[in-house]
Amino acid sequence: MERMRKIRAEIAVHDSADNFSKEHAVDIMLGEARFIDRNTISINGKEIRFFKACICTGGRPRIPDTLGINDVPFYTSENVWNMTVQPESMFIMGAGPIACELGQGFQRLGTQVTMAARGSQFLPREDQDAAKVLKEQLEQDGC
């Protein structure tokens, strides 16, 4: 896991919002935003006028309201790479794109991964033909 953290640190320099802004001559604003009108947005209370805007909302992991979850240590996609020791096994709650990415990554690194979905559908928001191919690959990988 130490090697993984070093690689992430090397990548982060090139993958930062600041670097992207400088490299591509775009303004990147982080914060809570809402549209005021067709050409004005308020970000953290500051109004900004624009001709064209690209909204990249990102996402946050949803911590399920599962009995006992707060009594055990757990990781999310935001902090999983902070691990210092690779786990022998891992249980992943979820079957969306990020869960699949983490599951396959850890499985291929040698962790035995078990994944569980809330419903019966794997990758429920994705094209089901593509989801079937990905599910078969994860099963071949041992997930």
Side-chain angles (χ1 to χ4, degrees), residues 50-104:
F50 61 88
F51 177 68
K52 291 185 178 181
C54 178
I55 311 297
C56 304
T57 60
R60 295 274 184 261
R62 181 174 99 48
I63 309 300
D65 187 20
T66 302
L67 184 63
I69 195 163
N70 291 317
D71 298 330
V72 297
F74 64 89
Y75 292 93
T76 69
S77 57
E78 292 183 332
N79 65 2
V80 71
W81 298 112
N82 295 340
M83 286 183 186
T84 56
V85 177
Q86 181 179 347
E88 289 182 26
S89 63
M90 179 182 287
F91 177 74
I92 296 179
M93 294 177 75
I98 294 172
C100 293
E101 177 182 9
L102 289 173
Q104 186 177 47

Side-chain angles (χ1 to χ4, degrees), residues 6-43:
K6 285 180 183 176
I7 291 170
R8 282 188 60 229
E10 291 172 14
I11 293 170
V13 175
H14 306 288
D15 198 31
S16 70
D18 186 49
N19 187 61
F20 187 86
S21 179
K22 290 174 185 171
E23 209 170 286
H24 299 286
V26 295
D27 295 321
I28 297 176
M29 314 288 181
L30 303 175
E32 188 93 12
R34 68 182 180 86
F35 282 96
I36 303 299
D37 59 39
R38 182 182 171 108
N39 295 98
T40 312
I41 193 166
S42 173
I43 302 175

